[in-house]
Amino acid sequence: MSDARDIDPYDADRPLLMRCSCGRHGSAAEHAAEDAGAELRRRSETAEFEAYSNAFVEATLVKALFPQDAVRRRFLRAVGKGTAMAAIASVLPIAPLQALAQAAGAPEKKDLKIGFIPITCATPLIMAHPLGFYSKQGLNVQVVKTAGWALIRDKMLNKEYDATHFLSPMPLAISMGVGSNATPMNVATIQNTNGQAITLANKHKDKRDPKQWKGFKFAVPFEYSMHNFLLRYYVAEAGLDPDRDIQIRVVPPPEMVANLRAGNIDGYLGPDPFNQRAVFEEVGFLHLLTKELWNGHPCCAFGTSTEFIQQNPNTFAALYRAVLTAAAMARKPENRELIAKVISPQAYLNQPETVVTQVLTGRFADGLGNVRNVPDRADFDPIPWQSMAVWMLTQMKRWGYVKGDVNYRQIAEKVFLLTDARKTMKQLDQKVPDGAYPKFTIMGKVFDPEQPEPYIGSFAIKRT
């Protein structure tokens, strides 16, 4: 971090440093980011990490199909490694599986634009740029900081971006034509799990019970977001109708803290680092982490259009490898402080390094006088479980974003890329494990993706 004294023109005891001490960077933070990036690149180039990363990519695909290890082992014993690999190779619409983990064909398109919102959810997608993971795959990627999610959607629809950082419900909504023209989109990986919070203004420290929130104004980053769905779920469980008892408005994440300070909102369920930034600015406190509602919930995703994948399969494979390599590095706790240095500067998050470090390491001040240690406050498990998609669809129907009959499985399997492996296994006359549909527990209530309509019907407060 730069020291404010370095730019004090009236301090006779210190040199006037408008740049960092070496003179090659705009600030000490940029200098630290370059040093941290160099160390992370060194770690990424070791034989140990390369072996780990390749195994991580392959294991991610296998686990996506077989979340229950006993099922995986039974399948391997029944068909053998070769047949199993042939079936699993088509988890994504590219062949073969080794192309995902190791060398692949030449990219059809090398110059790419990838959009991102400056939040820690996008950590793998962002850090892959300064660490050279895209260029290592033969890609010239420009990661483009974008002002809000509606703009992300529009730039994907207009083909100004080749791929993007999505809120994970967005590809579902876009594919269905909800809120936009219907355009098939795909989720390749989940960018992050957990990593969000409900932040309240300091004046509400005596209102920790959501039953007391009637009349509150809340912000979420987008209608088709886990933030909106989790906030609605939480207040409805407390007996409040999210459409009648509170106000929910869309506010771009970088504007949330300023709106909280100005009194325009009472709180927000938003992405980090803006929850921690409110504590840092002493204008808000962390009411709860969203992992306390659903531990391991998805938030953001990396994805692109179905058309792009079909026209550029090798390019997509290269992007997939780069982002998963970054996820593999981000999942290691020993890398988190260095990653915070790399992604904090102006080109990426433009946040104080201490704020980002608190989020990524999980050791943080909560604004209530406590220093908490929650190592999995943010995590980067990349598997796009199709039952996650089904849950999002149930909430879209529960709150009236979609009407009529919904073919939950069909939509989930078109958008969340795990379906082709199941098709290949059927062609091999193998029993298809139902691996893509694990159950989840949200606020103590089990969600069974096999029973989406009864699940919606079980809620007292809903629009359907």
Side-chain angles (χ1 to χ4, degrees):
M1 291 291 294
S2 297
D3 190 323
R5 293 175 299 173
D6 290 345
I7 54 173
D8 180 357
Y10 304 108
D11 187 340
D13 297 319
R14 294 173 64 90
L16 182 58
L17 300 176
M18 296 300 290
R19 301 171 65 83
C20 75
S21 56
C22 78
R24 292 188 298 107
H25 306 88
S27 68
E30 290 178 17
H31 183 123
E34 183 173 302
D35 287 348
E39 172 58 20
L40 286 171
R41 281 192 295 275
R42 185 196 67 76
R43 294 182 187 183
S44 74
E45 290 165 359
T46 64
E48 178 185 12
F49 179 78
E50 288 187 3
Y52 163 75
S53 177
N54 289 341
F56 182 89
V57 173
E58 197 156 338
T60 295
L61 301 179
V62 175
K63 187 181 178 186
L65 195 61
F66 303 101
Q68 297 174 338
D69 200 51
V71 176
R72 177 188 63 85
R73 293 198 303 271
R74 282 200 303 272
F75 178 69
L76 287 171
R77 281 195 290 265
V79 303
K81 180 179 179 180
T83 302
M85 289 182 70
I88 295 165
S90 59
V91 167
L92 293 169
I94 37 184
L97 178 61
Q98 286 76 10
L100 291 173
Q102 299 163 19
E108 299 84 2
K109 184 176 183 180
K110 292 185 178 180
D111 295 330
L112 304 170
K113 284 187 177 180
I114 300 178
F116 77 94
I117 302 290
I119 55 179
T120 51
C121 303
T123 293
L125 185 156
I126 295 171
M127 63 183 274
H129 184 256
L131 297 186
F133 293 164
Y134 295 121
S135 59
K136 191 177 289 186
Q137 299 298 333
L139 303 174
N140 178 29
V141 168
Q142 181 183 357
V143 289
V144 185
K145 189 186 297 187
T146 311
W149 293 107
L151 195 56
I152 288 275
R153 176 198 61 204
D154 294 345
K155 286 183 176 290
M156 282 299 295
L157 292 175
N158 296 334
K159 301 183 182 179
E160 295 176 55
Y161 290 165
D162 298 287
T164 194
H165 168 203
F166 277 127
L167 292 161
S168 50
M170 283 176 65
L172 295 166
I174 296 170
S175 297
M176 297 167 69
V178 178
S180 68
N181 293 329
T183 304
M185 294 283 167
N186 290 115
V187 167
T189 74
I190 296 298
Q191 280 285 283
N192 72 298
T193 52
N194 299 334
Q196 326 300 309
I198 295 177
T199 297
L200 294 178
N202 282 334
K203 64 183 178 181
H204 295 312
K205 286 184 179 180
D206 61 339
K207 295 184 177 67
R208 300 297 305 282
D209 185 341
K211 292 182 175 67
Q212 300 172 289
W213 294 355
K214 197 165 185 176
F216 275 28
K217 298 180 180 72
F218 282 94
V220 296
F222 200 57
E223 283 187 305
Y224 307 106
S225 68
M226 289 295 293
H227 311 83
N228 184 26
F229 299 152
L230 287 173
L231 178 61
R232 288 171 169 272
Y233 194 109
Y234 180 62
V235 298
E237 289 296 291
L240 299 185
D241 187 316
D243 293 313
R244 295 165 183 162
D245 294 325
I246 64 171
Q247 292 183 39
I248 300 177
R249 59 183 63 170
V250 171
V251 175
E255 298 175 18
M256 287 180 169
V257 175
N259 274 273
L260 194 70
R261 180 187 292 109
N264 298 330
I265 54 176
D266 296 283
Y268 50 84
L269 198 158
D272 273 311
F274 297 105
N275 301 293
Q276 199 61 49
R277 184 64 188 263
V279 175
F280 180 80
E281 299 284 351
E282 299 183 347
V283 297
F285 66 94
L286 304 183
H287 171 67
L288 59 74
L289 303 178
T290 50
K291 76 177 289 289
E292 297 168 44
L293 306 179
W294 174 0
N295 193 12
H297 73 80
C299 181
C300 292
F302 170 69
T304 186
S305 67
T306 306
E307 179 184 0
F308 181 87
I309 296 172
Q310 292 170 344
Q311 294 179 354
N312 305 281
N314 291 338
T315 300
F316 179 70
L319 279 173
Y320 187 85
R321 285 194 304 276
V323 173
L324 274 191
T325 299
M329 177 156 275
R331 293 211 77 188
K332 287 180 167 285
E334 62 267 29
N335 294 328
R336 296 284 183 91
E337 288 192 24
L338 289 174
I339 291 170
K341 290 180 185 293
V342 168
I343 67 174
S344 293
Q346 189 274 334
Y348 302 114
L349 298 188
N350 194 26
Q351 293 291 319
E353 181 193 317
T354 183
V355 170
V356 180
T357 299
Q358 286 183 77
V359 173
L360 293 185
T361 63
R363 183 170 173 78
F364 59 93
D366 64 3
L368 294 166
N370 308 303
V371 175
R372 298 180 59 188
N373 189 26
V374 186
D376 61 346
R377 171 178 176 169
D379 203 358
F380 303 97
D381 186 342
I383 298 175
W385 301 116
Q386 287 164 351
S387 52
M388 291 175 172
V390 174
W391 186 85
M392 295 170 205
L393 291 167
T394 66
Q395 300 310 294
M396 289 168 70
K397 184 168 182 181
R398 177 185 180 184
W399 300 117
Y401 293 105
V402 296
K403 309 286 186 183
D405 294 335
V406 176
N407 191 328
Y408 297 93
R409 278 205 169 211
Q410 182 184 70
I411 297 167
E413 293 178 3
K414 279 185 177 178
V415 178
F416 279 47
L417 287 179
L418 293 174
T419 57
D420 286 352
R422 298 157 61 82
K423 186 188 305 180
T424 302
M425 291 175 71
K426 286 180 180 176
Q427 292 170 353
L428 293 169
D429 295 323
Q430 300 299 328
K431 178 174 171 56
V432 179
D434 214 18
Y437 290 93
K439 296 179 181 179
F440 298 109
T441 301
I442 300 99
M443 291 190 69
K445 183 173 183 173
V446 174
F447 168 62
D448 182 354
E450 303 290 344
Q451 303 290 330
E453 289 294 338
Y455 181 73
I456 296 171
S458 70
F459 295 107
I461 302 175
K462 53 185 179 291
R463 298 282 82 83
T464 56

